Amino acid sequence: MEFRISQEQELFKKAVREYCEKNIAPRSREIDEKEAGIPDDIIQGLADLGVFGCVIPEKYGGSALPGEEMQFANIAIQELSRAELSMSLPVYTLLTIGWGGFFISLYGNEAVKQEVLPKIASGQWSWGINVTEPGGGSDVAAIKTTGIRKGNTFILDGEKAYISQVRESQVRGGGHTTLVVSDPTRGIKGGMSLLAVMPNTLKGMTSTTYRDMGRMGLSTGGWVYRNSEVPDKYLLGQEGKGFYHCMEGFNPARALVAAACLGAAEKCLEIAADYAKQRTAFGHTISKFQGISFQLADDYNQLEMCKLMLQKGCWMIDRYYAEPGSFTQKQINVVIAQCKAVAPVLSADIIKRAIMILGAFGYTKESPLEMAMRGVMSYVSGAEGSFNIMRTIIARDVFGSEFVSK
Amino acid sequence: MEFRISQEQELFKKAVREYCEKNIAPRSREIDEKEAGIPDDIIQGLADLGVFGCVIPEKYGGSALPGEEMQFANIAIQELSRAELSMSLPVYTLLTIGWGGFFISLYGNEAVKQEVLPKIASGQWSWGINVTEPGGGSDVAAIKTTGIRKGNTFILDGEKAYISQVRESQVRGGGHTTLVVSDPTRGIKGGMSLLAVMPNTLKGMTSTTYRDMGRMGLSTGGWVYRNSEVPDKYLLGQEGKGFYHCMEGFNPARALVAAACLGAAEKCLEIAADYAKQRTAFGHTISKFQGISFQLADDYNQLEMCKLMLQKGCWMIDRYYAEPGSFTQKQINVVIAQCKAVAPVLSADIIKRAIMILGAFGYTKESPLEMAMRGVMSYVSGAEGSFNIMRTIIARDVFGSEFVSK
Amino acid sequence: MEFRISQEQELFKKAVREYCEKNIAPRSREIDEKEAGIPDDIIQGLADLGVFGCVIPEKYGGSALPGEEMQFANIAIQELSRAELSMSLPVYTLLTIGWGGFFISLYGNEAVKQEVLPKIASGQWSWGINVTEPGGGSDVAAIKTTGIRKGNTFILDGEKAYISQVRESQVRGGGHTTLVVSDPTRGIKGGMSLLAVMPNTLKGMTSTTYRDMGRMGLSTGGWVYRNSEVPDKYLLGQEGKGFYHCMEGFNPARALVAAACLGAAEKCLEIAADYAKQRTAFGHTISKFQGISFQLADDYNQLEMCKLMLQKGCWMIDRYYAEPGSFTQKQINVVIAQCKAVAPVLSADIIKRAIMILGAFGYTKESPLEMAMRGVMSYVSGAEGSFNIMRTIIARDVFGSEFVSK
Amino acid sequence: MEFRISQEQELFKKAVREYCEKNIAPRSREIDEKEAGIPDDIIQGLADLGVFGCVIPEKYGGSALPGEEMQFANIAIQELSRAELSMSLPVYTLLTIGWGGFFISLYGNEAVKQEVLPKIASGQWSWGINVTEPGGGSDVAAIKTTGIRKGNTFILDGEKAYISQVRESQVRGGGHTTLVVSDPTRGIKGGMSLLAVMPNTLKGMTSTTYRDMGRMGLSTGGWVYRNSEVPDKYLLGQEGKGFYHCMEGFNPARALVAAACLGAAEKCLEIAADYAKQRTAFGHTISKFQGISFQLADDYNQLEMCKLMLQKGCWMIDRYYAEPGSFTQKQINVVIAQCKAVAPVLSADIIKRAIMILGAFGYTKESPLEMAMRGVMSYVSGAEGSFNIMRTIIARDVFGSEFVSK
């Protein structure tokens, strides 16, 4: 066994942290307040550090260390969320890495890889996931948007909702890994396909955006497709197997979601501990009171346990692709579902308790805690898979399909 | 024993609910977004219903039913927070009722009662509490702002922070029940006094406001006093006994804080249950899944237990003033501290779980849940007494002073 | 509203407490270790105080104050479990009161009342509930034991399991309120009946007993009926309506189960607090540490909230029978389910944490805490209705039948 | 990083599991009921498998793989507690391994190693820890038993309490790592020493035993020393440094305590899951209900996270001794304290919830669950370091000594 990260990983972590603390943390509040997306220079800075390319092979402009892609990504996202507590940048990056860089490296054909991956690695393009529809998210098999093949194109019709980066993908360029019903007669076994859909080159599409509780530096919205044509070179993976590819893609994405939540919680916990060391009440710094110190200890404890499980999960994903036969998708499903089940709610609760330590000050916009809480709530609300779906996965893949409710 | 509220209380509750559902609920989002205070017509409407006057005797313009003041106030605040989920109005009202109407009825001298109470009952004036200083909130005995008697006036010098209604009290008129050190040599036993301080007639005062996570329809801020004179007719209670009066006043105020949190949580729970009845996934409305129904049952359970304890606490306060000898302050401290310890965190958590049921929709500003959560967080952060202070009160007044930490 | 108990209730409480502290508490360990049932003199002493008769009308030898039966029973059971921490006596008494005294007063015909109630009131007879079968407990509608009418008798065939007081009802006399399928073609609507079954006069019956984790002063076991005749005068309530009568009877029984758990937890909490006052570590009595005092405060808080809800529930049951139309069964179901959902697990957890305060000493049989925990676990395990059944009742009767899982 | 255990570890795990399932699990109830210690043949069987020797170098009769001692011990203890759910054997073994084999390998001088270690490796001797005194456990620095040097011996006077294996060490032979005050003028810095004390060769000693809630196959008790002489060759580590050696020794011991708790919880969770697959209610196996499946998933989740952290902790201890400079004691303190803080309470709660799934059957002595719960409660009660001490260690060693309460 070996629980230490490698020297290369340590160096990467150190470099990202330094950049983030200096260049990103001071602008986090501004990113949230402006509601105008992530500043270009920050994206460029991160691209230069290899953050967007850490899951992309060198031949496509990336800087991946083969067999360690997700380990590097995990490090990057945790560092980003430690610094950018509005959570706009971490979410932007994890989606772009997870559903863009990592997923297209796996499932894009050569032409798509050559077109998309260098633009992701360089920070030029944004990328996201495009599954949810107005009818709701958890029941992925129930989506209705069709993408019917007609010669060399798929014709999209339908509506997607609660999609991140609707605006970014149009302003910056880029797109979304998009799940459609390609054969309405066949269900999840053969009837769904994944397409790389880029709104800037798509006809017949209209988009809207919503306003959210938090991570205001990132857009959320939806679109309607009416007879929108996507060339079939943008098919990701096998035609008809989109549901399964999508489920596989959720594992790295959810791992990075957990990373984002845990990074933010870790930083907020440190903020609370630092505050407790200098704040005095009843004749002592409040750090002397077990009501404070034990809360911090308990929170640290749960946080570290989840972080460790997440390291394991990222390493397992890396092993899965680098060492065929090392692990099964089922084994990976369980570990990632564990992290995604725990991390968002735990992180929101840790931030809540950090606010309780800072008191009235923690409730103002002078402190980043309230912004972090609003940001993390997006994953508490269920983005990338709800808490109950995670519990279903764990029950099913650990104890057996007898534990899937009717 | 009798656990039913009276017919008069039922009628009052019904009237307030009807008014609120019709006139307030539809404007809650606007109140939050505008950050411009509570609309005049709403205040007027509530005043007409007797909401501001329900703790004020008829002779001062109020409509109190003697011996049931807090029971009526509890009903009013719960109804307000059910409807105005930004929490701006409930907080405005509970402070005005608790530290204005109720407290001044008890501790104002005749002149002050005649001056202030009719203006509160009619909705004209706002009122609040003015204790906390930049050094922090929990350790009330450590405040430093002085109010030294000089003939017929108290001269205020110092700084207060994290005060609600800093703007309202200047725009609408009104003031704050203000704790000062009147004799720096004597500590809490004889050295602190409470004054009714009205910023619009106070010289040498400057104020600032902050921006908060939520309840944006209400201002928070602070002020600096430099040689500011307050006539001694505005002394509330006995000179030198301000600390004790203030502790007594915290009980009704905290009761109403709990009422505000619980009302909001109750409404959010209903919103989640209604949503679960119509939302379909995996072939059923999601209400059929125990992951949903049991969560709602558990939350309902804790909510009802806290609401019941709060009813008891309000009734005990009413008995205390109406039937001397019926209960001690210590007994009341415990019950109110129990409610204030539980209600804010429980309510925030219930709303968090309601958001989890609504999913991505619950995270948008289309739903009021995110606004309710931001609002309730002000009391999670510790306003009107932190969680740990409540636990200290319970430990001390139930088990003995051996349980007060050094 | 009136949250105080009456003077008569206060006097009863005081009398029972005094008797229990003097005569029962010192023998609790012995009751558990001997595994030989409750000593006769204790039963006699409690009968003399009116404990067994507090739910039985005077004309049948009881001492009930009409309209306050359950309020008195609640007081009695809480006092018993405070003193007899093995939980043997509280369980014995609550079953005898709940399913004997209270239920037969409601549903026995005149002859049965005259035969049974005086023997219960005097402490001579034990009484219990006889529903569960080897196939399990929660799904009451699935029982298989038949009790088919043949002229003036019901012929019992089948098997019951996990029944309390199998031995006591044979040694002392008495019996069990027994649910049977009286018409296998009709299900719960018309096909089930309740009988008062007394093993000492029943032919064709064989019994076994099990060994349990705790409350060793009480027997648990099962029986097999083969062609066992019960005269039809022992029919309780309407023939065919047994399922519904049984559901109604669960409310008072579950209320008293909650009372037993909460009484034990309250006493254990006091034991822990007393210990913390005298035990020294790191230079202070451990009561000075917030790790101790806040835990006690939190536990006290939850305990009191549940006790208050239970008082309300008992009062509602009393109102239901004394003031027709005052409350519905549905309303009572909810409140009692809330108490039964919370009380067992909360009590076991409070006792667990009390053991943590006493440390290694709390783990020995020198302290009663371990015995209390083993005793309370019988209700955690689900006796008289599992946690999940309680949550189902709450979800169904609060939010609607849409929340009953398929 | 590498999260997989080695092939040798896999083989060891498999061998221990097979032996335990076949030879130990069927006799677990008997071990608890007889209260007569661990059967000789079981101890012999485990010794043959290398369980007692897995932390002892080959030259002293052990079978340790250098640098993997604690990893093997962790595996062994988890397997033992999966099979022997009364927890008697796991506790016996972890103490003998932790404070005997592992600690004496580190701190015994050559003569003591040659005398003691082979007897431990062969299963002949029992070994334990002997610190706690009647005044209590958490405040180790406050012990009073003296062991004053007089020439070549230490003279013991005082009293120890709540010591495991008081009887075993006299029946089988063996002893206890014993903390004494060797210089009352110097406190923990220079005034305490550790001795290997063997009761069978000690004069002036009298012992008593207590009865406990669980793990009845293991004795607990205390002893009084009056002028008892221990030759100074039995000094463990440096004279005067006993407090610090003892603190270091707590880390491996606590790791194995966590292992014992988690192994038992894992097995109980599996028992509950298996039961849920076959038990039917309301027309389905109860595994279909989310009230069951989600509880299992949540429990599994927390269990796995703690098990993973424990693997890391054991591996860190191994690295500490095998690779000087790799980790600090402080880093190890934190990880082990995390596991010891979480594992006992989590395990007791998981077993409690397993009992809730089995219902009334889980409460009987037909199922091993009640026995497991009673056994695990010994560590909930604080043996080998209380929950609050663990939180203090975490707060102190993560956030700084400002977080140690006064």
Side-chain angles (χ1 to χ4, degrees), chain C residues 76-126:
Chain C
I77 298 300
Q78 288 197 42
E79 291 304 322
L80 261 57
S81 64
R82 282 179 55 92
E84 210 288 88
L85 285 169
S86 89
M87 301 295 286
S88 309
L89 176 62
V91 175
Y92 174 89
T93 310
L94 77 89
L95 288 169
T96 299
I97 286 180
W99 287 107
F102 192 81
F103 194 75
I104 291 174
S105 294
L106 281 176
Y107 280 108
N109 59 42
E110 188 58 29
V112 171
K113 285 191 208 175
Q114 288 189 8
E115 178 184 356
V116 174
L117 295 178
K119 293 229 171 62
I120 285 176
S122 69
Q124 198 178 331
W125 276 9
S126 124

Coordinates of all heavy atoms in Angstrom, one line a residue, chain C residues 76-126:
Chain C
A76 N -47.3 7.3 35.6 CA -46.9 6.0 36.3 C -45.8 5.3 35.6 O -44.8 4.9 36.2 CB -48.1 5.1 36.4
I77 N -45.9 5.2 34.3 CA -44.9 4.4 33.6 C -43.6 5.1 33.6 O -42.5 4.5 33.7 CB -45.4 4.1 32.1 CG1 -46.6 3.2 32.1 CG2 -44.3 3.4 31.3 CD1 -46.5 1.9 32.8
Q78 N -43.6 6.4 33.4 CA -42.3 7.2 33.5 C -41.6 7.0 34.8 O -40.4 6.8 34.9 CB -42.5 8.7 33.2 CG -42.8 8.9 31.7 CD -42.6 10.4 31.3 OE1 -41.7 11.0 31.7 NE2 -43.5 10.9 30.4
E79 N -42.4 7.0 35.9 CA -41.8 6.9 37.2 C -41.3 5.5 37.4 O -40.2 5.3 38.0 CB -42.9 7.2 38.3 CG -43.2 8.7 38.4 CD -42.0 9.6 38.6 OE1 -41.1 9.2 39.3 OE2 -42.0 10.6 38.0
L80 N -42.0 4.5 36.9 CA -41.6 3.1 37.0 C -40.2 2.9 36.3 O -39.3 2.2 36.8 CB -42.6 2.1 36.5 CG -43.5 1.4 37.5 CD1 -44.3 2.5 38.3 CD2 -44.5 0.5 36.8
S81 N -40.1 3.4 35.1 CA -38.9 3.2 34.4 C -37.7 4.0 34.9 O -36.6 3.6 34.7 CB -39.1 3.4 32.9 OG -39.4 4.7 32.6
R82 N -38.0 5.1 35.5 CA -36.9 5.8 36.2 C -36.3 5.0 37.3 O -35.1 5.0 37.6 CB -37.5 7.1 36.9 CG -37.7 8.3 35.9 CD -38.3 9.5 36.7 NE -37.4 9.8 37.8 CZ -36.4 10.7 37.7 NH1 -36.2 11.4 36.6 NH2 -35.6 10.9 38.8
A83 N -37.1 4.1 37.9 CA -36.6 3.4 39.1 C -36.2 2.0 38.7 O -35.2 1.5 39.3 CB -37.8 3.3 40.1
E84 N -36.9 1.4 37.8 CA -36.6 0.0 37.5 C -35.9 -0.1 36.1 O -36.6 -0.4 35.1 CB -37.9 -0.8 37.5 CG -37.7 -2.3 37.9 CD -37.0 -3.1 36.8 OE1 -35.8 -3.1 36.8 OE2 -37.8 -3.7 36.0
L85 N -34.6 0.2 36.2 CA -33.9 0.4 34.9 C -33.6 -0.8 34.1 O -33.1 -0.7 33.0 CB -32.6 1.2 35.2 CG -32.9 2.7 35.5 CD1 -31.6 3.4 36.0 CD2 -33.4 3.4 34.3
S86 N -33.9 -2.0 34.7 CA -33.8 -3.2 33.8 C -35.0 -3.2 32.8 O -35.0 -3.9 31.8 CB -33.9 -4.5 34.6 OG -35.3 -4.9 34.8
M87 N -36.0 -2.3 33.0 CA -37.1 -2.2 32.1 C -38.1 -3.4 32.2 O -39.1 -3.4 31.5 CB -36.7 -2.0 30.7 CG -35.9 -0.8 30.5 SD -36.7 0.8 30.8 CE -37.8 0.9 29.4
S88 N -37.9 -4.3 33.1 CA -38.8 -5.4 33.2 C -40.1 -5.0 33.7 O -41.2 -5.3 33.1 CB -38.2 -6.5 34.1 OG -36.9 -6.8 33.8
L89 N -40.1 -4.3 34.8 CA -41.4 -3.8 35.4 C -42.1 -2.8 34.6 O -43.3 -2.9 34.4 CB -41.1 -3.3 36.8 CG -42.3 -2.7 37.6 CD1 -43.3 -3.8 37.8 CD2 -41.8 -2.0 38.9
P90 N -41.4 -1.8 34.0 CA -42.2 -0.9 33.2 C -42.9 -1.6 32.0 O -44.0 -1.3 31.7 CB -41.1 0.1 32.7 CG -40.0 0.0 33.6 CD -40.0 -1.4 34.2
V91 N -42.2 -2.5 31.4 CA -42.8 -3.2 30.3 C -44.0 -4.1 30.7 O -45.1 -4.0 30.1 CB -41.8 -4.1 29.5 CG1 -42.4 -4.9 28.4 CG2 -40.7 -3.1 28.9
Y92 N -43.8 -4.8 31.8 CA -44.8 -5.6 32.4 C -46.1 -4.7 32.6 O -47.2 -5.1 32.2 CB -44.4 -6.2 33.7 CG -45.5 -7.0 34.4 CD1 -45.7 -8.3 34.2 CD2 -46.3 -6.3 35.3 CE1 -46.7 -9.0 34.8 CE2 -47.3 -7.0 36.0 CZ -47.5 -8.3 35.7 OH -48.6 -9.0 36.4
T93 N -45.8 -3.6 33.2 CA -46.9 -2.7 33.6 C -47.6 -2.0 32.4 O -48.8 -2.0 32.4 CB -46.4 -1.7 34.6 OG1 -45.7 -2.3 35.7 CG2 -47.6 -0.9 35.2
L94 N -46.8 -1.6 31.5 CA -47.4 -0.8 30.4 C -48.3 -1.8 29.5 O -49.3 -1.4 29.0 CB -46.4 -0.1 29.6 CG -45.5 -0.9 28.6 CD1 -46.1 -1.0 27.2 CD2 -44.2 -0.1 28.5
L95 N -47.8 -3.0 29.4 CA -48.6 -4.0 28.6 C -49.9 -4.3 29.4 O -51.0 -4.3 28.8 CB -47.8 -5.3 28.4 CG -46.7 -5.1 27.3 CD1 -45.8 -6.3 27.3 CD2 -47.3 -4.8 25.9
T96 N -49.8 -4.5 30.7 CA -51.0 -4.9 31.5 C -52.0 -3.7 31.5 O -53.2 -3.9 31.4 CB -50.5 -5.3 32.9 OG1 -49.6 -6.4 32.8 CG2 -51.7 -5.6 33.8
I97 N -51.4 -2.5 31.6 CA -52.3 -1.3 31.6 C -52.9 -1.1 30.2 O -54.1 -0.8 30.0 CB -51.5 -0.1 32.0 CG1 -51.3 -0.1 33.5 CG2 -52.3 1.2 31.7 CD1 -50.5 1.1 34.0
G98 N -52.0 -1.1 29.2 CA -52.4 -0.7 27.9 C -53.3 -1.6 27.2 O -54.4 -1.3 26.8
W99 N -52.9 -2.9 27.1 CA -53.7 -3.9 26.4 C -54.7 -4.6 27.3 O -55.6 -5.3 26.8 CB -52.8 -4.9 25.7 CG -52.1 -4.3 24.5 CD1 -50.8 -4.0 24.5 CD2 -52.7 -3.9 23.3 NE1 -50.5 -3.4 23.2 CE2 -51.6 -3.4 22.5 CE3 -53.9 -4.0 22.7 CZ2 -51.8 -2.9 21.2 CZ3 -54.1 -3.5 21.4 CH2 -53.1 -3.0 20.7
G100 N -54.5 -4.5 28.6 CA -55.4 -5.1 29.5 C -56.4 -4.0 30.0 O -57.5 -3.8 29.4
G101 N -56.0 -3.2 31.0 CA -56.9 -2.3 31.7 C -57.6 -1.3 30.7 O -58.8 -1.2 30.7
F102 N -56.8 -0.6 29.9 CA -57.3 0.4 29.1 C -58.2 -0.2 27.9 O -59.3 0.2 27.7 CB -56.2 1.3 28.5 CG -56.7 2.5 27.8 CD1 -57.0 3.6 28.6 CD2 -56.8 2.6 26.5 CE1 -57.4 4.8 28.0 CE2 -57.3 3.8 25.9 CZ -57.6 4.9 26.6
F103 N -57.6 -1.2 27.3 CA -58.2 -1.7 26.1 C -59.5 -2.5 26.4 O -60.5 -2.3 25.7 CB -57.3 -2.6 25.3 CG -57.7 -2.9 23.9 CD1 -57.7 -1.9 22.9 CD2 -58.3 -4.1 23.6 CE1 -58.1 -2.1 21.6 CE2 -58.7 -4.4 22.3 CZ -58.7 -3.4 21.3
I104 N -59.4 -3.3 27.4 CA -60.6 -4.1 27.8 C -61.7 -3.2 28.4 O -62.9 -3.4 28.1 CB -60.3 -5.2 28.7 CG1 -59.4 -6.2 27.9 CG2 -61.5 -5.9 29.3 CD1 -58.8 -7.3 28.7
S105 N -61.3 -2.1 29.0 CA -62.4 -1.1 29.5 C -63.1 -0.6 28.3 O -64.3 -0.3 28.3 CB -61.7 0.1 30.2 OG -61.1 -0.4 31.4
L106 N -62.4 -0.4 27.1 CA -63.1 0.1 25.9 C -63.8 -0.9 25.2 O -64.9 -0.7 24.7 CB -62.0 0.7 25.0 CG -61.4 2.0 25.2 CD1 -60.3 2.3 24.2 CD2 -62.5 3.1 25.2
Y107 N -63.2 -2.1 25.0 CA -63.8 -3.1 24.1 C -64.3 -4.4 24.6 O -64.9 -5.2 23.9 CB -62.7 -3.3 23.0 CG -62.7 -2.2 22.0 CD1 -61.7 -1.3 21.9 CD2 -63.8 -2.1 21.1 CE1 -61.7 -0.3 21.0 CE2 -63.9 -1.0 20.2 CZ -62.8 -0.1 20.1 OH -62.8 0.9 19.2
G108 N -64.1 -4.6 25.9 CA -64.6 -5.8 26.5 C -66.1 -5.7 26.7 O -66.7 -4.6 26.9
N109 N -66.8 -6.8 26.6 CA -68.3 -6.7 26.9 C -68.4 -6.8 28.5 O -67.4 -7.0 29.2 CB -69.1 -7.8 26.3 CG -68.6 -9.2 26.7 OD1 -68.3 -9.4 27.8 ND2 -68.5 -10.1 25.7
E110 N -69.6 -6.6 29.0 CA -69.7 -6.4 30.4 C -69.2 -7.6 31.2 O -68.5 -7.4 32.2 CB -71.2 -6.2 30.7 CG -71.5 -5.9 32.2 CD -70.8 -4.6 32.6 OE1 -70.6 -3.7 31.8 OE2 -70.5 -4.5 33.8
A111 N -69.4 -8.8 30.7 CA -69.0 -10.0 31.5 C -67.5 -10.0 31.5 O -66.9 -10.3 32.6 CB -69.5 -11.3 30.8
V112 N -66.8 -9.8 30.4 CA -65.4 -9.8 30.4 C -64.8 -8.7 31.3 O -63.8 -8.9 32.0 CB -64.9 -9.7 29.0 CG1 -63.4 -9.5 28.9 CG2 -65.2 -10.9 28.2
K113 N -65.4 -7.5 31.2 CA -64.9 -6.4 32.1 C -65.0 -6.9 33.5 O -64.1 -6.6 34.3 CB -65.8 -5.2 31.9 CG -65.5 -4.5 30.6 CD -66.2 -3.1 30.6 CE -66.5 -2.6 29.2 NZ -67.3 -1.4 29.2
Q114 N -66.1 -7.5 33.9 CA -66.3 -7.9 35.3 C -65.3 -9.0 35.7 O -64.9 -9.0 36.9 CB -67.7 -8.3 35.6 CG -68.6 -7.1 35.6 CD -70.1 -7.4 36.0 OE1 -70.3 -8.5 36.5 NE2 -71.0 -6.5 35.9
E115 N -65.0 -9.8 34.8 CA -64.1 -10.9 35.1 C -62.6 -10.4 35.1 O -61.9 -10.8 36.1 CB -64.2 -12.0 34.0 CG -63.2 -13.2 34.3 CD -63.3 -14.2 33.2 OE1 -64.1 -14.1 32.2 OE2 -62.4 -15.1 33.2
V116 N -62.2 -9.6 34.1 CA -60.8 -9.3 34.0 C -60.3 -8.1 34.7 O -59.3 -8.1 35.4 CB -60.5 -9.2 32.5 CG1 -59.0 -8.7 32.3 CG2 -60.8 -10.5 31.7
L117 N -61.1 -7.0 34.6 CA -60.6 -5.7 35.1 C -60.2 -5.7 36.5 O -59.2 -5.2 36.9 CB -61.6 -4.6 34.7 CG -61.7 -4.3 33.2 CD1 -62.8 -3.3 32.9 CD2 -60.4 -4.0 32.5
P118 N -61.1 -6.2 37.4 CA -60.7 -6.2 38.9 C -59.4 -6.9 39.1 O -58.6 -6.5 40.0 CB -61.9 -6.9 39.6 CG -63.0 -6.7 38.6 CD -62.4 -6.8 37.2
K119 N -59.2 -8.0 38.4 CA -57.9 -8.8 38.6 C -56.7 -8.0 38.1 O -55.6 -8.2 38.6 CB -58.0 -10.1 37.8 CG -59.1 -11.0 38.5 CD -58.6 -12.4 38.7 CE -59.5 -13.3 39.5 NZ -60.9 -13.5 38.8
I120 N -56.9 -7.2 37.1 CA -55.8 -6.4 36.6 C -55.5 -5.2 37.6 O -54.4 -4.9 38.0 CB -56.1 -5.8 35.2 CG1 -55.9 -7.0 34.1 CG2 -55.2 -4.6 34.8 CD1 -56.3 -6.6 32.7
A121 N -56.6 -4.6 38.0 CA -56.5 -3.4 38.9 C -55.8 -3.9 40.2 O -55.0 -3.1 40.8 CB -57.8 -2.8 39.2
S122 N -56.1 -5.1 40.7 CA -55.5 -5.5 41.9 C -54.1 -6.0 41.8 O -53.5 -6.4 42.7 CB -56.4 -6.6 42.5 OG -56.3 -7.8 41.7
G123 N -53.6 -6.1 40.6 CA -52.3 -6.6 40.3 C -52.2 -8.1 40.2 O -51.1 -8.7 40.0
Q124 N -53.3 -8.8 40.4 CA -53.3 -10.2 40.4 C -52.9 -10.8 39.0 O -52.1 -11.7 38.9 CB -54.7 -10.7 40.8 CG -54.7 -12.2 41.2 CD -56.1 -12.6 41.7 OE1 -56.9 -11.8 42.2 NE2 -56.5 -13.9 41.5
W125 N -53.5 -10.2 38.0 CA -53.3 -10.7 36.6 C -52.3 -9.9 35.8 O -52.3 -8.7 35.9 CB -54.6 -10.8 35.9 CG -55.4 -12.1 36.2 CD1 -55.2 -13.0 37.1 CD2 -56.6 -12.5 35.5 NE1 -56.1 -14.0 37.1 CE2 -57.0 -13.7 36.1 CE3 -57.4 -11.9 34.4 CZ2 -58.2 -14.4 35.7 CZ3 -58.5 -12.6 34.0 CH2 -58.9 -13.8 34.6
S126 N -51.6 -10.6 34.9 CA -50.8 -9.9 33.9 C -51.6 -9.9 32.6 O -52.5 -10.7 32.4 CB -49.5 -10.7 33.7 OG -49.3 -11.1 32.4

